[in-house]
Amino acid sequence: MAMDRGRRNGIVLAALATAGILALAPASAYAAVPPRKAADQGGPVLSGASGAPSGAVGRAGARAPGFAATVEFMATHATVFVLKPLDGGARVAVSPDMAGRVMVSSYAGDAGPALGWINRPVVAGKRDPQFVNFGGAERLWLSPEGGKFSPFFAPGTKYTFDNWKVPAGFNDEPLKVRAQSTTRIEMEKDLELVNRAGTALSLRIERTVRLLEPAEAAQLLDCGFPEGVEMVAYRTENSVTNRGTAPMTKDTGLVSLWILSMFTPSNDTLVLAPVVKSAAGPVVIDDYFGKVPPERLNYDRGQACVVFKADGRQRGKIGLPPARARDLVASIDYENELLTIMKFSRSGEGDYLSNAWADSASPFSGDVVNSYNDGPPAPGVPALGGFYELENLSPARELKPGEKLSHWSAVVHLHGPLAKLAMIGRRVLGADITRIERPGRKKG
């Protein structure tokens, strides 16, 4: 979450033909759901708590809308494209109108759960221009959030919440659809920003969302999926190009690509962040909103994994620095038997920008991985919605006019018996989800 607010079938052996995956379908095959007025829907607009687990039994025991109902709701307010394979139950809903966000996905077809936290009142039109928080299972922002080159603060302003504003160009304005098929959508947008130092930036962001077939997801994670495990996976290709006439330098201000995924927690959800055990320096940064207490954060040294409680009940954020972070972060929802793995590119080129709300002496010493757990920012103040986030960032590079910075990120949701998810976790994360050292507990 941004520093301001407190802020988851068997093994497929046959190789997929790359040309077939990438080929664009004819217009008649586009899986687009156009926006419609509520009066045209044939029934009332769906309602419910924005933080309720979509399609799953929530804390109060009420079953929230699943994938099809969630898409139906969103389609009354925005254009939604549903990506799906030729066969199988995977679904990915993308809205170009909501800044190109992946809104929700499903591993079990239209009747399956909607994986992704949706802020229904905001989608329905209740907008705060400071931060139009649609929610969504994956969105693209540009970093840094703080520091003298932040585009979130106007020139000369202090680092206060009242002065913080998410630039509309990558927050709530639509992206132009450049091409699409049944399994992918390509979008772009030109935008103008001014950072806190007063530097004008002329940029183009490009974003492609692609549904991954099971064999592709298995190859991505270097892991087969046991029978009885359902999955949905998607990958986004993101880039920013310097459209200006002047180079972007460390002296005038750089940007990086920031990927943020909002998910609905359960009473028993943990974020698992594998680390490089042998590296030097701090394992985890844990004081973004005050130090995260030990009952919510633990470092399982034996499994080289940072464990962070993600229940949407207490505001906190953690980060992993470049020396410690690997190219993936995950969460496990024990109640709903859902393992979510976020994997992303690590180019090794460039510096990671600090998002801290300060004119740091080390503006190029930021995190690679972040996770945010929502909760009340102050006594008596409501939370933003009770979600949690998995985040990753690209390094930043100096860009000459016309040069481009690119970064990819993928989300794989796996649903099935915990014993089978544990097999995947051991292979991919190097950690056993059935034996993890939980925050606030000592090893038995």
Side-chain angles (χ1 to χ4, degrees):
M1 181 64 183
M3 278 284 298
D4 51 42
R5 300 182 101 146
R7 324 189 222 219
R8 142 205 358 139
N9 273 4
I11 301 174
V12 177
L13 300 177
L16 296 173
T18 301
I21 296 168
L22 300 182
L24 295 181
S28 60
Y30 294 171
V33 181
R36 294 178 296 162
K37 296 179 180 179
D40 299 329
Q41 186 175 313
V45 175
L46 296 171
S47 62
S50 60
S54 299
V57 176
R59 296 188 182 104
R63 186 166 295 275
F67 181 82
T70 301
V71 170
E72 183 77 4
F73 162 73
M74 292 188 297
T76 64
H77 307 286
T79 300
V80 178
F81 287 81
V82 175
L83 310 182
K84 53 187 176 181
L86 293 177
D87 53 51
R91 302 284 189 272
V92 177
V94 182
S95 178
D97 289 352
M98 290 184 272
R101 283 168 167 81
V102 175
M103 298 305 293
V104 290
S105 66
S106 170
Y107 53 76
D110 294 336
L115 305 178
W117 181 82
I118 301 299
N119 197 341
R120 288 175 171 266
V122 175
V123 171
K126 186 178 180 181
R127 309 290 167 82
D128 180 350
Q130 189 177 24
F131 174 29
V132 182
N133 183 14
F134 293 116
E138 198 210 89
R139 70 185 188 273
L140 168 64
W141 275 8
L142 297 180
S143 172
E145 186 182 0
K148 64 181 179 180
F149 299 126
S150 168
F152 292 76
F153 291 89
T157 57
K158 295 181 179 181
Y159 298 113
T160 65
F161 177 72
D162 288 342
N163 290 333
W164 174 85
K165 184 180 185 297
V166 184
F170 58 77
N171 180 45
D172 59 294
E173 292 181 354
L175 269 59
K176 176 184 176 182
V177 177
R178 190 169 60 193
Q180 75 258 30
S181 74
T182 55
T183 58
R184 66 186 283 138
I185 180 169
E186 301 176 17
M187 299 165 286
E188 66 181 12
K189 181 179 180 60
D190 293 342
L191 65 155
E192 309 293 327
L193 299 176
V194 177
N195 65 26
R196 188 169 172 271
T199 303
L201 301 175
S202 183
L203 306 171
R204 171 172 295 158
I205 54 174
E206 296 172 277
R207 180 164 163 82
T208 295
V209 182
R210 184 164 68 89
L211 177 72
L212 297 181
E213 296 284 355
E216 293 180 288
Q219 183 178 27
L220 177 76
L221 300 181
D222 190 24
C223 178
F225 304 136
E227 282 191 42
V229 173
E230 300 173 287
M231 64 148 291
V232 59
Y234 50 90
R235 170 170 165 154
T236 65
E237 305 280 350
N238 308 276
S239 69
V240 58
T241 301
N242 180 8
R243 295 177 55 247
T245 58
M248 296 171 61
T249 70
K250 289 185 176 181
D251 294 329
T252 58
L254 306 180
V255 297
S256 74
L257 297 154
W258 187 4
I259 305 298
L260 308 95
S261 289
M262 286 181 165
F263 299 123
T264 303
S266 70
N267 290 319
D268 195 9
T269 299
L270 298 175
V271 169
L272 308 176
V275 304
V276 179
K277 189 175 182 179
S278 60
V283 174
V284 60
I285 310 302
D286 63 355
D287 57 357
Y288 282 89
F289 302 121
K291 194 170 181 64
V292 179
E295 62 268 21
R296 305 193 70 86
L297 179 65
N298 179 58
Y299 175 43
D300 188 330
R301 189 177 301 275
Q303 301 203 67
C305 189
V306 170
V307 187
F308 181 43
K309 190 171 184 178
D311 58 359
R313 295 183 183 276
Q314 184 170 322
R315 183 175 182 246
K317 180 176 177 177
I318 63 169
L320 270 61
R324 290 289 190 171
R326 289 175 52 189
D327 62 349
L328 74 171
V329 63
S331 65
I332 175 66
D333 179 345
Y334 291 97
E335 286 189 9
N336 293 298
E337 297 184 313
L338 184 70
L339 176 64
T340 298
I341 301 173
M342 172 186 275
K343 190 175 175 67
F344 51 91
S345 56
R346 288 290 304 272
S347 68
E349 299 178 1
D351 300 295
Y352 287 88
L353 302 177
S354 173
N355 280 331
W357 285 20
D359 288 327
S360 172
S362 304
F364 303 105
S365 58
D367 297 330
V368 177
V369 167
N370 291 111
S371 179
Y372 169 80
N373 185 59
D374 194 32
V381 179
L384 293 179
F387 54 87
Y388 74 97
E389 285 185 323
L390 301 179
E391 309 173 14
N392 70 78
L393 298 100
S394 78
R397 289 193 295 107
E398 295 188 321
L399 297 177
K400 297 177 183 178
E403 281 192 323
K404 177 184 297 188
L405 172 67
S406 299
H407 180 67
W408 64 263
S409 183
V411 169
V412 182
H413 292 292
L414 300 150
H415 174 258
L418 288 176
K420 294 186 177 183
L421 298 182
M423 295 169 58
I424 299 170
R426 287 192 293 268
R427 170 73 179 183
V428 179
L429 307 176
D432 188 338
I433 62 173
T434 64
R435 300 175 61 86
I436 204 75
E437 188 176 347
R438 289 167 170 262
R441 299 184 189 176
K442 294 182 180 179
K443 274 188 174 180

